[in-house]
Amino acid sequence: MKIVIIDGQGGRLGSLLVERVKARLPQAQIHALGTNSAATAAMLKAGADLGATGENPVARGVADADGVLGPVGIVVANAILGEVTPKMAEAVGSCRAKKFLIPMNNCGVLVAGVETLPLPAYVSQAVEKLAMELTEN
């Protein structure tokens, strides 16, 4: 099972996601795709199996993913202070995999009806929903 985790800036969210997915789904192969090298390095340090940085790795990496996790901005062109290119957002948004997105204020998107929680709580919810989705099928 291929899980893609996408993050930018310093990779804090991505690192948390890698750690939680590894703990919950140890059989999964985690691909850490950073919008910059610092984010990729942080996710690899957290235990991701593979890592790559930039637009083309994101566009190619999500094509055959079973699940994609990251901040909500990964489906919004020019989000995360411009780190998400239109090609990245289109690739993530149109890939066949289910997307498990974390609401983040720095993405420029506010989702109505979302309860304000600490980041680790959002991560736990996203990983649990991913696990439920992938183990049901």
Side-chain angles (χ1 to χ4, degrees), residues 43-114:
M43 291 186 284
L44 285 168
K45 186 175 180 180
D49 298 300
L50 299 166
T53 302
E55 182 178 79
N56 200 54
V58 169
R60 303 266 308 155
V62 299
D64 62 347
D66 296 303
V68 177
L69 294 101
V72 68
I74 65 174
V75 295
V76 178
N78 304 308
I80 312 178
L81 300 175
E83 291 185 18
V84 177
T85 67
K87 182 178 176 182
M88 288 176 177
E90 180 180 7
V92 173
S94 62
C95 75
R96 69 169 178 79
K98 288 233 175 161
K99 293 90 174 155
F100 302 86
L101 305 176
I102 309 292
M104 302 287 293
N105 290 335
N106 66 344
C107 294
V109 177
L110 299 175
V111 181
V114 173

Side-chain angles (χ1 to χ4, degrees), residues 5-58:
I5 298 176
I6 303 171
D7 199 12
Q9 297 191 320
R12 178 173 176 246
L13 171 60
S15 295
L16 288 171
L17 286 166
V18 168
E19 291 169 359
R20 298 280 172 88
V21 171
K22 276 286 191 192
R24 182 66 175 82
L25 297 166
Q27 73 279 18
Q29 185 176 55
I30 299 177
H31 293 234
L33 304 179
T35 61
N36 64 60
S37 59
T40 304
M43 291 186 284
L44 285 168
K45 186 175 180 180
D49 298 300
L50 299 166
T53 302
E55 182 178 79
N56 200 54
V58 169

